[in-house]
Amino acid sequence: MALTSNMPDSLPGTASRTDVFGERLRARRHSLSTRMTLVADFIDQNRALVLSRSAVELAKEIGVSDATVIRTVQALGFEGLVDLKSLLSSSLGQLDITSAKLAKTLNELRQDADRAVNYVIDEYRQSIEHLTNKKNLDSLTDAISVLNSANRIGVFGIGASGILAEYTTRLLARNGLSAYALNRTGISLAEQLLQLAPGDALIVLIRQNIHREVAATMEEANRLNIPVILITGQRRHALAHQSHSVIVMPRSGTGGTSLHGPTLACLEILTLGVVGSNPQRSLNSVERLIGLRRSIRARK
């Protein structure tokens, strides 16, 4: 099932570039202390954000001292924060990571449709295999317990994750659970954050960078002592220490564009786990839903 294509042999964005910071981190990780590793991973996951932050501001966001931030930067071979920012600024200017990943994926899929099928299947298989490792299974069990004891369940996500958050809350609601989505951007999110209350539980979807919306959401959840279930693509995400449970869902083992299906599978596992703990509640809710639908259809 061949596909004809006028695509060039090499798509833009696929040229090999050296990730200096990433290479230094991999080479020196073994020599970093636990807190320095936390700082290094935060920088790695939030490179654009680091450019606008001072050492004091970074320390506050990460939960360490500013001295630890500086020591970490120097341990990675930089003279100081200015030197690090210069490198990050240069590398970010050269490479748009999202477009590079898409270009890589298109290069792999352009020859025939069978490759597209195999690509998606392989991505899903790797993600599901990772989801079922012992650490994640333990985290899933712990997360379901937390959600079961919550008065209400909030689900945070921005962009594509915001769509998943909305879907999850609808699935929970139709099964008799009180749920709400936190999926707006900018100051509009503030109105949604008013819904957070003690006794709730919060699912947070974040792949990599700590943007202002998730930072504000985590801060408010922590202030209200709301347990957070973090679903992330990073094994050592900087928000992990603020979360009750961490489920790691790495996307794109090939380095290509990321798929959202595995994250959806994780959310459905959590939802069904909660629903299964009280099946009668779910049955009652579905029966009521059917009755409401009949009432609407009858009004013609």
Side-chain angles (χ1 to χ4, degrees):
M1 186 164 54
L3 296 177
T4 59
S5 173
N6 295 321
M7 295 173 63
D9 290 338
S10 179
L11 287 168
T14 58
S16 176
R17 292 186 178 92
T18 301
D19 178 8
V20 176
F21 181 85
E23 288 187 352
R24 290 190 186 184
L25 177 55
R26 284 189 291 273
R28 308 185 189 204
R29 177 181 290 277
H30 69 280
S31 65
L32 301 178
S33 67
T34 301
R35 297 182 75 78
M36 291 170 72
T37 300
L38 185 66
V39 173
D41 285 334
F42 181 93
I43 294 172
D44 188 30
Q45 298 162 18
N46 302 276
R47 301 189 185 193
L49 179 69
V50 170
L51 296 177
S52 63
R53 296 290 192 272
S54 67
V56 173
E57 290 170 331
L58 287 172
K60 184 178 180 181
E61 290 195 42
I62 302 170
V64 298
S65 68
D66 55 327
T68 300
V69 172
I70 297 302
R71 283 199 299 270
T72 304
V73 170
Q74 293 174 339
L76 291 172
F78 299 95
E79 293 182 5
L81 196 56
V82 173
D83 185 26
L84 169 65
K85 287 182 178 181
S86 177
L87 172 73
L88 295 181
S89 177
S90 175
S91 61
L92 287 172
Q94 293 175 356
L95 177 62
D96 184 313
I97 296 175
T98 300
S99 63
K101 286 184 177 182
L102 178 59
K104 183 179 189 301
T105 301
L106 293 176
N107 265 339
E108 293 174 355
L109 304 184
R110 61 186 177 148
Q111 293 188 12
D112 59 69
D114 288 340
R115 288 199 177 190
V117 173
N118 292 332
Y119 175 84
V120 174
I121 290 175
D122 287 344
E123 287 293 306
Y124 275 44
R125 181 186 296 115
Q126 291 178 37
S127 296
I128 295 303
E129 285 177 356
H130 189 88
L131 180 60
T132 55
N133 67 34
K134 188 177 186 309
K135 284 187 177 180
N136 273 336
L137 288 177
D138 289 344
S139 293
L140 284 167
T141 300
D142 184 52
I144 290 171
S145 177
V146 169
L147 295 174
N148 273 328
S149 61
N151 296 331
R152 301 180 306 157
I153 299 172
V155 187
F156 171 89
I158 298 296
S161 293
I163 298 173
L164 297 182
E166 182 68 32
Y167 167 77
T168 304
T169 57
R170 292 181 63 178
L171 191 60
L172 289 166
R174 71 185 298 170
N175 282 283
L177 291 143
S178 181
Y180 54 91
L182 304 174
N183 56 1
R184 296 179 186 171
T185 58
I187 61 174
S188 294
L189 177 64
E191 295 176 4
Q192 290 186 321
L193 290 179
L194 289 174
Q195 299 177 85
L196 289 170
D200 292 357
L202 180 63
I203 300 172
V204 171
L205 309 176
I206 181 169
R207 302 315 310 177
Q208 186 171 351
N209 291 342
I210 300 179
H211 44 71
R212 59 180 179 172
E213 286 85 1
V214 74
T217 300
M218 292 293 291
E219 181 178 349
E220 184 66 2
N222 291 164
R223 185 183 73 82
L224 296 171
N225 293 318
I226 294 174
V228 173
I229 297 159
L230 185 70
I231 301 178
T232 176
Q234 297 290 333
R235 290 176 175 79
R236 297 181 180 86
H237 201 282
L239 293 179
H241 70 289
Q242 300 179 44
S243 306
H244 184 277
S245 304
V246 179
I247 301 168
V248 180
M249 286 295 299
R251 297 191 309 195
S252 185
T254 64
T257 190
S258 298
L259 304 176
H260 297 278
T263 301
L264 177 58
C266 181
L267 289 167
E268 290 186 322
I269 289 172
L270 292 176
T271 300
L272 291 175
V274 177
V275 169
S277 67
N278 191 342
Q280 191 59 50
R281 174 182 56 196
S282 179
L283 290 172
N284 292 342
S285 181
V286 171
E287 286 179 4
R288 184 184 174 203
L289 177 63
I290 292 172
L292 290 170
R293 286 175 174 173
R294 286 173 177 167
S295 175
I296 293 171
R297 291 193 184 102
R299 298 175 186 275
K300 293 184 179 179

